[in-house]
Amino acid sequence: QVQLGESGGGSVQAGGSLRLFCAASGLTFSRYAMGWFRQTPGKEREFVAAINWSGDSTSYADSVKGRFTISRDNAENTVYLQMNNLKPEDTAVYYCAKYNGRTLYTGPDFGSWGQGTQVTVSS
């Protein structure tokens, strides 16, 4: 059974930084691309960033390009999201998701969400 555990969220002022962690278990981590998504109340969950199985291919939402960096450590079964120059509009619950295969083209598997981690950015 796939389990994903997000952590690292918190409250920061605009312009600050946070590093999110997603620890994965119950899968052969290096066989899957991974992604980060976020959701605010009353809105659809939206894509933030994704990384392929080896870490040499990434994708970002336009709203976070140049500010967020996704990375992974296959030895630690962990995917990270470094968030810099945070803005109030980044406030959301952040979730990680495994993809259906090694590449970003396989799309996310929405069947194994973790509990999420809250990020709050004040102006």
Side-chain angles (χ1 to χ4, degrees):
Q1 180 181 358
V2 176
Q3 291 190 321
L4 302 172
E6 301 92 341
S7 61
S11 297
V12 296
Q13 290 191 323
S17 298
L18 284 173
R19 185 173 171 86
L20 304 185
F21 304 80
C22 173
S25 62
L27 75 168
T28 303
F29 185 70
S30 61
R31 290 184 179 177
Y32 297 96
M34 298 292 294
W36 285 96
F37 295 77
R38 65 188 182 186
Q39 189 170 24
T40 55
K43 290 190 175 181
E44 295 282 324
R45 197 166 296 188
E46 66 173 1
F47 169 76
V48 175
I51 187 167
N52 74 335
W53 69 279
S54 62
D56 61 2
S57 179
T58 57
S59 177
Y60 296 92
D62 288 344
S63 59
V64 307
K65 278 182 183 176
R67 300 187 298 120
F68 291 11
T69 302
I70 188 171
S71 60
R72 66 188 294 157
D73 184 338
N74 287 344
E76 296 292 331
N77 285 10
T78 301
V79 61
Y80 308 94
L81 186 67
Q82 178 66 44
M83 306 187 296
N84 297 328
N85 190 22
L86 282 159
K87 302 177 180 181
E89 52 263 43
D90 295 319
T91 295
V93 178
Y94 284 71
Y95 301 88
C96 68
K98 64 174 279 291
Y99 274 47
N100 288 301
R102 293 179 186 265
T103 73
L104 303 184
Y105 300 106
T106 61
D109 172 8
F110 293 120
S112 299
W113 293 110
Q115 81 286 353
T117 186
Q118 175 72 47
V119 171
T120 303
V121 185
S122 58
S123 57

